[in-house]
Amino acid sequence: MPLATATLRRTRRLAAASLLAAAALSLTACQSGGDPAPAASSSSAGDPTAADGGAKGGSGSAPGKGVSRTGAGKTAATGGGGQGGASAGNKGVGGTWVGTLKWLTEDKLTVAPKNGMEQAFHVTESTKALGAAALCEAPDGRVHTDGSGYGTTSCSLADLRKAARLGSVDVRVTVVNGAATKVAEHYHP
């Protein structure tokens, strides 16, 4: 085999290996959990806002603690864990996570489930924050919760960010396309 042909083949192999390595790296950055790629197709390679997700509930996990895949790049969560990257303007992760609210940046917070990986999400002007006592209090000073123990008092985004900086408020976060639509505090008497 001529030297030029061998060199061309090596170059092609190297290019293919580099492409695969870059793809694997971007997928790894988006999914450190144990579930294979539910939101991988929704994250673009090199997306600086990609976030780690939680592990999918398996056969030994408690009911309502996993994420089920409902289509390419879309997830439907029943609580607890989820994964994928999120980016404003791009299709991002979607689901519901239950865990401790934590600070990441001014417009990006995380929820850390007790079991599973931390999930980042964007906070927008349309994010609805609902408190019970720790996130914010009702004007009448009473605790208002729904039947599941989640707050129903409307809070400001400043209250939400302040609670995230504390890192001790338990919440249920509903995320659509990488942005939180609702963050509700879980009340602990």
Side-chain angles (χ1 to χ4, degrees):
M1 169 168 25
L3 182 62
T5 304
T7 304
L8 181 61
R9 284 186 182 168
R10 281 189 198 132
T11 303
R12 286 182 182 167
R13 283 185 192 146
L14 182 59
S18 297
L19 182 61
L20 287 174
L25 183 59
S26 69
L27 289 176
T28 302
C30 293
Q31 355 235 16
S32 312
D35 185 27
S41 64
S42 64
S43 297
S44 61
D47 181 2
T49 61
D52 291 337
K56 178 179 176 184
S59 59
S61 67
K65 293 292 183 187
V67 174
S68 62
R69 186 170 178 172
T70 58
K74 297 179 183 177
T75 59
T78 56
Q83 49 183 235
S87 174
N90 291 333
K91 283 188 177 180
V93 67
T96 301
W97 288 266
V98 174
T100 305
L101 183 66
K102 295 188 177 184
W103 175 265
L104 194 56
T105 68
E106 185 70 18
D107 293 321
K108 196 169 186 183
L109 307 178
T110 68
V111 61
K114 291 187 186 347
N115 297 317
M117 298 297 293
E118 208 167 345
Q119 174 62 51
F121 58 90
H122 290 276
V123 176
T124 66
E125 291 301 318
S126 62
T127 299
K128 188 175 184 178
L130 302 173
L135 189 59
C136 70
E137 293 182 5
D140 63 4
R142 294 179 39 205
V143 174
H144 298 276
T145 61
D146 62 12
S148 301
Y150 288 95
T152 58
T153 302
S154 236
C155 301
S156 70
L157 292 180
D159 292 331
L160 183 65
R161 291 178 177 112
K162 183 178 177 182
R165 287 179 191 255
L166 292 175
S168 62
V169 179
D170 289 335
V171 295
R172 177 180 59 204
V173 181
T174 304
V175 177
V176 176
N177 292 329
T181 57
K182 183 165 74 169
V183 179
E185 173 192 353
H186 186 253
Y187 179 64
H188 296 285

Coordinates of all heavy atoms in Angstrom, one line a residue, residues 28-114:
T28 N -21.2 12.9 28.0 CA -20.8 12.7 29.4 C -21.0 13.9 30.2 O -21.4 13.9 31.3 CB -19.3 12.3 29.4 OG1 -19.1 11.1 28.6 CG2 -18.8 12.0 30.8
A29 N -20.7 15.1 29.6 CA -20.9 16.4 30.3 C -22.4 16.6 30.7 O -22.7 17.2 31.7 CB -20.4 17.5 29.5
C30 N -23.3 16.1 29.8 CA -24.7 16.2 30.0 C -25.3 15.1 30.9 O -26.3 15.3 31.5 CB -25.4 16.2 28.7 SG -25.1 17.7 27.7
Q31 N -24.7 14.0 31.0 CA -25.3 12.9 31.7 C -24.3 12.1 32.5 O -23.7 11.1 32.1 CB -25.8 11.9 30.8 CG -25.8 12.3 29.4 CD -27.2 12.2 28.8 OE1 -28.1 12.2 29.6 NE2 -27.3 12.2 27.6
S32 N -24.1 12.5 33.7 CA -23.2 11.8 34.6 C -24.0 10.7 35.3 O -23.4 9.9 36.0 CB -22.6 12.7 35.7 OG -22.2 13.8 35.1
G33 N -25.3 10.6 35.2 CA -26.1 9.6 35.8 C -26.1 8.3 35.1 O -25.3 8.1 34.2
G34 N -26.9 7.4 35.6 CA -26.9 6.0 35.1 C -27.8 5.8 33.9 O -27.9 4.7 33.3
D35 N -28.7 6.7 33.5 CA -29.7 6.5 32.5 C -29.1 6.9 31.1 O -28.5 8.0 31.1 CB -30.9 7.3 32.8 CG -32.0 7.1 31.8 OD1 -32.1 6.0 31.2 OD2 -32.9 8.0 31.6
P36 N -29.2 6.1 30.1 CA -28.6 6.5 28.8 C -29.4 7.6 28.1 O -30.5 7.4 27.8 CB -28.6 5.2 28.0 CG -29.6 4.4 28.7 CD -29.7 4.8 30.1
A37 N -28.9 8.8 28.0 CA -29.2 9.8 27.0 C -30.6 10.2 26.8 O -31.0 10.4 25.7 CB -28.5 9.5 25.7
P38 N -31.5 10.4 27.8 CA -32.8 10.9 27.4 C -32.8 12.3 26.8 O -33.7 12.6 26.0 CB -33.6 10.9 28.7 CG -32.7 10.6 29.8 CD -31.4 10.2 29.2
A39 N -31.9 13.2 27.2 CA -31.9 14.5 26.7 C -30.7 14.8 25.8 O -30.5 16.0 25.5 CB -32.0 15.5 27.8
A40 N -30.0 13.8 25.4 CA -28.7 14.1 24.7 C -29.0 14.7 23.4 O -28.3 15.6 22.9 CB -28.0 12.7 24.5
S41 N -30.1 14.3 22.7 CA -30.4 14.9 21.4 C -30.9 16.3 21.5 O -30.9 17.1 20.6 CB -31.4 14.1 20.7 OG -32.7 14.1 21.4
S42 N -31.3 16.8 22.7 CA -31.7 18.1 22.9 C -30.6 19.1 23.2 O -30.8 20.3 23.2 CB -32.8 18.2 23.9 OG -32.3 17.8 25.2
S43 N -29.5 18.6 23.6 CA -28.4 19.5 24.0 C -27.4 19.6 22.8 O -27.1 18.6 22.1 CB -27.6 18.9 25.1 OG -28.4 18.8 26.3
S44 N -27.0 20.8 22.5 CA -26.0 20.9 21.4 C -24.6 20.7 22.0 O -24.3 21.0 23.1 CB -26.2 22.3 20.8 OG -25.9 23.3 21.7
A45 N -23.7 20.2 21.1 CA -22.4 20.0 21.5 C -21.8 21.3 21.9 O -21.9 22.3 21.2 CB -21.6 19.3 20.4
G46 N -21.0 21.3 23.0 CA -20.4 22.6 23.4 C -21.3 23.5 24.1 O -21.0 24.7 24.3
D47 N -22.5 23.1 24.5 CA -23.5 24.0 25.1 C -23.0 24.3 26.5 O -22.9 23.4 27.4 CB -24.8 23.3 25.2 CG -25.9 24.1 25.9 OD1 -25.6 25.3 26.3 OD2 -27.0 23.6 26.0
P48 N -22.6 25.6 26.8 CA -22.1 25.9 28.1 C -23.1 25.8 29.3 O -22.7 25.8 30.4 CB -21.6 27.3 28.0 CG -22.5 27.9 26.9 CD -22.8 26.7 26.0
T49 N -24.3 25.7 28.9 CA -25.3 25.6 30.0 C -25.8 24.1 30.3 O -26.7 23.9 31.0 CB -26.6 26.4 29.6 OG1 -27.1 25.9 28.4 CG2 -26.2 27.9 29.5
A50 N -25.1 23.2 29.7 CA -25.5 21.8 29.9 C -25.3 21.4 31.4 O -24.4 21.9 32.0 CB -24.6 20.9 29.0
A51 N -26.2 20.6 31.9 CA -26.1 20.3 33.3 C -26.2 18.8 33.5 O -26.7 18.1 32.7 CB -27.3 21.0 34.0
D52 N -25.7 18.4 34.7 CA -25.7 17.0 35.1 C -27.2 16.7 35.5 O -27.9 17.6 36.0 CB -24.8 16.7 36.3 CG -23.4 16.8 35.9 OD1 -23.1 16.7 34.7 OD2 -22.5 17.0 36.7
G53 N -27.5 15.4 35.4 CA -28.8 15.0 35.8 C -28.8 13.9 36.9 O -27.7 13.5 37.2
G54 N -29.9 13.5 37.3 CA -30.0 12.4 38.3 C -30.1 11.1 37.7 O -30.4 10.9 36.5
A55 N -30.0 10.1 38.5 CA -30.1 8.7 38.0 C -31.5 8.3 37.9 O -32.4 8.7 38.7 CB -29.4 7.8 39.0
K56 N -31.8 7.5 36.9 CA -33.2 7.0 36.6 C -33.5 6.0 37.7 O -32.7 5.2 38.0 CB -33.3 6.4 35.2 CG -34.6 5.9 35.0 CD -34.7 5.3 33.6 CE -36.0 4.7 33.3 NZ -36.1 4.0 32.0
G57 N -34.7 6.0 38.1 CA -35.2 5.0 39.1 C -35.2 3.7 38.4 O -35.8 3.6 37.3
G58 N -34.6 2.7 38.9 CA -34.7 1.3 38.3 C -35.7 0.5 39.0 O -36.6 1.0 39.7
S59 N -35.6 -0.8 38.8 CA -36.6 -1.7 39.3 C -36.6 -1.8 40.9 O -37.6 -2.0 41.5 CB -36.4 -3.1 38.8 OG -35.1 -3.6 39.1
G60 N -35.5 -1.4 41.5 CA -35.4 -1.4 42.9 C -35.6 -0.1 43.6 O -35.6 0.0 44.8
S61 N -36.0 0.9 42.8 CA -36.2 2.2 43.4 C -37.7 2.4 43.8 O -38.5 1.7 43.3 CB -35.8 3.3 42.4 OG -36.6 3.3 41.3
A62 N -37.9 3.4 44.6 CA -39.2 3.6 45.1 C -40.1 4.2 44.0 O -39.6 4.9 43.1 CB -39.2 4.7 46.2
P63 N -41.4 3.9 44.0 CA -42.3 4.5 43.0 C -42.2 6.0 43.0 O -42.1 6.6 44.0 CB -43.6 4.0 43.4 CG -43.4 2.9 44.4 CD -42.1 3.1 45.0
G64 N -42.3 6.6 41.8 CA -42.4 8.0 41.7 C -41.0 8.7 41.9 O -40.9 9.9 42.1
K65 N -39.9 7.9 41.7 CA -38.6 8.5 41.9 C -37.8 8.4 40.6 O -36.6 8.6 40.7 CB -37.8 7.7 43.0 CG -38.4 7.9 44.4 CD -38.2 9.3 44.8 CE -38.7 9.5 46.2 NZ -38.7 10.9 46.6
G66 N -38.4 8.1 39.5 CA -37.6 8.0 38.3 C -38.0 8.9 37.2 O -39.0 9.6 37.3
V67 N -37.4 8.8 36.1 CA -37.7 9.5 34.9 C -38.0 8.5 33.8 O -37.2 7.6 33.6 CB -36.6 10.5 34.4 CG1 -36.9 11.1 33.1 CG2 -36.3 11.5 35.5
S68 N -39.0 8.7 33.0 CA -39.3 7.8 31.9 C -39.1 8.5 30.6 O -39.5 9.7 30.5 CB -40.7 7.2 32.0 OG -41.6 8.2 31.9
R69 N -38.6 7.9 29.7 CA -38.3 8.5 28.4 C -39.6 8.4 27.5 O -40.1 7.3 27.3 CB -37.1 7.8 27.7 CG -36.7 8.5 26.4 CD -35.5 8.0 25.9 NE -35.2 8.7 24.7 CZ -34.1 8.6 24.0 NH1 -33.1 7.9 24.5 NH2 -33.9 9.3 22.9
T70 N -40.0 9.6 27.0 CA -41.2 9.6 26.2 C -41.0 9.9 24.8 O -41.9 10.0 24.0 CB -42.3 10.5 26.8 OG1 -41.7 11.8 26.8 CG2 -42.7 10.1 28.2
G71 N -39.8 10.2 24.4 CA -39.4 10.6 23.0 C -38.0 11.1 23.0 O -37.4 11.4 24.0
A72 N -37.5 11.3 21.8 CA -36.2 11.8 21.6 C -36.0 13.2 22.2 O -36.7 14.1 21.7 CB -35.8 11.8 20.1
G73 N -35.2 13.3 23.2 CA -35.0 14.6 23.7 C -36.0 15.1 24.7 O -36.0 16.2 25.2
K74 N -37.0 14.3 25.0 CA -38.1 14.7 25.9 C -38.2 13.7 27.0 O -38.0 12.5 26.8 CB -39.4 14.8 25.2 CG -39.5 15.8 24.1 CD -40.8 15.8 23.4 CE -40.8 16.7 22.2 NZ -42.1 16.7 21.5
T75 N -38.4 14.2 28.2 CA -38.6 13.3 29.3 C -39.9 13.7 30.1 O -40.3 14.8 30.1 CB -37.4 13.3 30.3 OG1 -37.3 14.7 30.8 CG2 -36.1 12.9 29.7
A76 N -40.5 12.7 30.7 CA -41.6 12.9 31.6 C -41.2 12.4 32.9 O -40.9 11.2 33.0 CB -42.8 12.3 31.0
A77 N -41.1 13.2 33.9 CA -40.7 12.7 35.2 C -41.8 12.7 36.2 O -42.8 13.4 36.1 CB -39.6 13.7 35.8
T78 N -41.7 11.7 37.1 CA -42.7 11.6 38.1 C -42.1 12.0 39.5 O -42.7 11.9 40.5 CB -43.2 10.2 38.2 OG1 -42.1 9.3 38.4 CG2 -43.9 9.8 37.0
G79 N -40.9 12.6 39.4 CA -40.3 13.1 40.6 C -38.9 12.4 40.9 O -38.6 11.4 40.3
G80 N -38.1 13.0 41.7 CA -36.9 12.4 42.2 C -35.7 12.6 41.3 O -34.8 13.3 41.6
G81 N -35.6 12.1 40.1 CA -34.4 12.2 39.2 C -34.8 12.6 37.8 O -35.9 12.5 37.4
G82 N -33.8 13.0 37.1 CA -33.9 13.3 35.7 C -32.6 13.7 35.2 O -31.6 13.7 35.9
Q83 N -32.5 14.0 33.9 CA -31.2 14.4 33.4 C -31.3 15.1 32.1 O -32.3 15.2 31.5 CB -30.2 13.2 33.3 CG -30.7 12.0 32.6 CD -29.7 10.9 32.7 OE1 -29.4 10.4 31.6 NE2 -29.2 10.5 33.8
G84 N -30.1 15.6 31.7 CA -30.0 16.3 30.4 C -29.5 17.7 30.6 O -29.4 18.2 31.7
G85 N -29.3 18.3 29.4 CA -28.8 19.7 29.4 C -29.9 20.7 29.2 O -31.0 20.3 28.8
A86 N -29.7 21.9 29.6 CA -30.7 22.9 29.4 C -30.1 24.1 28.8 O -29.0 24.5 29.1 CB -31.4 23.2 30.7
S87 N -30.8 24.8 27.9 CA -30.4 26.0 27.3 C -31.5 26.8 26.9 O -32.5 26.4 26.3 CB -29.5 25.7 26.1 OG -29.1 26.9 25.4
A88 N -31.5 28.1 27.3 CA -32.6 29.0 26.9 C -32.6 29.1 25.4 O -31.6 29.4 24.8 CB -32.4 30.4 27.6
G89 N -33.8 28.9 24.8 CA -33.9 29.0 23.4 C -33.7 27.7 22.7 O -34.1 27.5 21.5
N90 N -33.1 26.7 23.3 CA -32.9 25.4 22.7 C -33.8 24.4 23.5 O -34.2 24.7 24.6 CB -31.5 24.9 22.9 CG -30.5 25.6 22.0 OD1 -30.9 26.2 21.0 ND2 -29.3 25.7 22.4
K91 N -34.1 23.3 22.8 CA -34.8 22.3 23.6 C -33.9 21.9 24.7 O -32.7 21.7 24.5 CB -35.2 21.1 22.7 CG -36.3 21.3 21.8 CD -36.7 20.1 21.1 CE -37.9 20.2 20.2 NZ -38.3 19.0 19.5
G92 N -34.5 21.7 25.9 CA -33.7 21.3 27.0 C -34.4 20.2 27.8 O -35.4 19.7 27.3
V93 N -33.9 20.0 28.9 CA -34.4 19.0 29.8 C -35.8 19.3 30.3 O -36.2 20.5 30.3 CB -33.5 18.8 31.0 CG1 -33.4 20.0 31.9 CG2 -33.8 17.6 31.8
G94 N -36.6 18.4 30.5 CA -38.0 18.6 31.0 C -38.3 17.5 32.0 O -37.9 16.3 31.8
G95 N -39.0 17.8 33.1 CA -39.4 16.9 34.1 C -39.6 17.5 35.4 O -39.7 18.8 35.5
T96 N -39.8 16.7 36.4 CA -40.0 17.2 37.8 C -39.0 16.5 38.7 O -38.9 15.3 38.6 CB -41.5 16.9 38.2 OG1 -42.4 17.5 37.3 CG2 -41.7 17.4 39.6
W97 N -38.4 17.4 39.5 CA -37.4 16.9 40.5 C -37.8 17.3 41.8 O -38.3 18.4 42.0 CB -36.0 17.4 40.1 CG -35.4 16.8 38.9 CD1 -34.6 15.7 38.9 CD2 -35.7 17.2 37.5 NE1 -34.3 15.4 37.5 CE2 -35.0 16.3 36.7 CE3 -36.4 18.2 36.9 CZ2 -35.0 16.4 35.3 CZ3 -36.4 18.2 35.6 CH2 -35.7 17.3 34.8
V98 N -37.5 16.5 42.8 CA -37.7 16.8 44.2 C -36.4 16.7 44.9 O -35.7 15.7 44.8 CB -38.7 15.8 44.8 CG1 -38.9 16.0 46.3 CG2 -40.1 15.9 44.2
G99 N -36.0 17.7 45.7 CA -34.8 17.7 46.4 C -34.5 19.1 47.0 O -35.4 19.9 47.1
T100 N -33.3 19.3 47.3 CA -32.9 20.6 48.0 C -32.5 21.6 46.9 O -31.7 21.4 46.0 CB -31.6 20.3 48.9 OG1 -32.0 19.3 49.8 CG2 -31.3 21.6 49.7
L101 N -33.0 22.8 47.1 CA -32.8 23.9 46.2 C -31.4 24.5 46.5 O -31.1 24.8 47.6 CB -33.8 25.0 46.4 CG -33.8 26.2 45.5 CD1 -34.1 25.8 44.0 CD2 -34.8 27.3 45.9
K102 N -30.6 24.7 45.4 CA -29.2 25.2 45.6 C -28.9 26.3 44.5 O -29.5 26.3 43.5 CB -28.2 24.1 45.5 CG -28.3 23.1 46.6 CD -27.2 22.1 46.6 CE -27.4 21.2 47.8 NZ -26.2 20.3 47.9
W103 N -28.0 27.2 44.9 CA -27.6 28.3 44.0 C -26.5 27.8 43.0 O -25.6 27.1 43.4 CB -27.0 29.4 44.9 CG -26.4 30.5 44.2 CD1 -25.1 30.7 43.9 CD2 -27.1 31.7 43.7 NE1 -25.0 31.9 43.2 CE2 -26.2 32.5 43.1 CE3 -28.5 32.1 43.7 CZ2 -26.5 33.7 42.5 CZ3 -28.8 33.3 43.1 CH2 -27.8 34.1 42.5
L104 N -26.6 28.3 41.8 CA -25.6 28.1 40.8 C -25.1 29.5 40.3 O -24.0 29.9 40.4 CB -26.0 27.2 39.7 CG -25.0 26.6 38.8 CD1 -23.9 25.9 39.5 CD2 -25.7 25.7 37.8
T105 N -26.1 30.2 39.7 CA -25.8 31.6 39.2 C -27.1 32.4 39.4 O -28.1 31.8 39.9 CB -25.5 31.7 37.7 OG1 -26.6 31.3 36.9 CG2 -24.3 30.8 37.4
E106 N -27.1 33.6 39.1 CA -28.3 34.5 39.2 C -29.5 33.9 38.5 O -30.6 34.0 39.1 CB -28.0 35.9 38.7 CG -29.1 36.9 38.9 CD -29.2 37.3 40.4 OE1 -28.3 37.1 41.2 OE2 -30.3 37.8 40.7
D107 N -29.4 33.4 37.3 CA -30.5 32.9 36.6 C -30.5 31.4 36.4 O -31.2 30.8 35.6 CB -30.5 33.5 35.2 CG -30.8 35.0 35.3 OD1 -31.7 35.4 36.1 OD2 -30.2 35.8 34.6
K108 N -29.7 30.7 37.2 CA -29.6 29.2 37.1 C -29.4 28.6 38.5 O -28.5 29.0 39.2 CB -28.4 28.8 36.2 CG -28.5 27.4 35.8 CD -27.5 27.1 34.7 CE -27.6 25.8 34.1 NZ -26.6 25.5 33.1
L109 N -30.4 27.8 38.9 CA -30.3 27.2 40.2 C -30.3 25.7 40.0 O -30.3 25.2 38.8 CB -31.6 27.5 41.0 CG -31.9 29.0 41.1 CD1 -33.2 29.2 41.9 CD2 -30.8 29.7 41.8
T110 N -30.1 24.9 41.0 CA -30.1 23.5 40.9 C -31.0 22.9 42.0 O -31.4 23.5 43.0 CB -28.7 22.8 41.1 OG1 -28.3 23.0 42.5 CG2 -27.7 23.4 40.1
V111 N -31.4 21.6 41.7 CA -32.2 20.9 42.7 C -31.4 19.6 42.9 O -31.0 18.9 41.9 CB -33.6 20.6 42.3 CG1 -33.7 19.8 41.0 CG2 -34.4 19.9 43.4
A112 N -31.1 19.2 44.2 CA -30.3 18.1 44.5 C -31.2 17.0 45.2 O -31.5 17.2 46.3 CB -29.1 18.5 45.4
P113 N -31.6 16.0 44.4 CA -32.4 14.9 45.0 C -31.5 14.2 46.1 O -30.3 14.2 46.0 CB -32.7 14.0 43.9 CG -32.4 14.8 42.6 CD -31.4 15.8 43.0
K114 N -32.2 13.6 47.0 CA -31.5 12.8 48.1 C -30.7 11.6 47.4 O -29.7 11.3 47.8 CB -32.5 12.3 49.1 CG -33.1 13.4 49.9 CD -34.0 12.9 51.0 CE -34.7 13.9 51.8 NZ -34.4 15.3 51.7

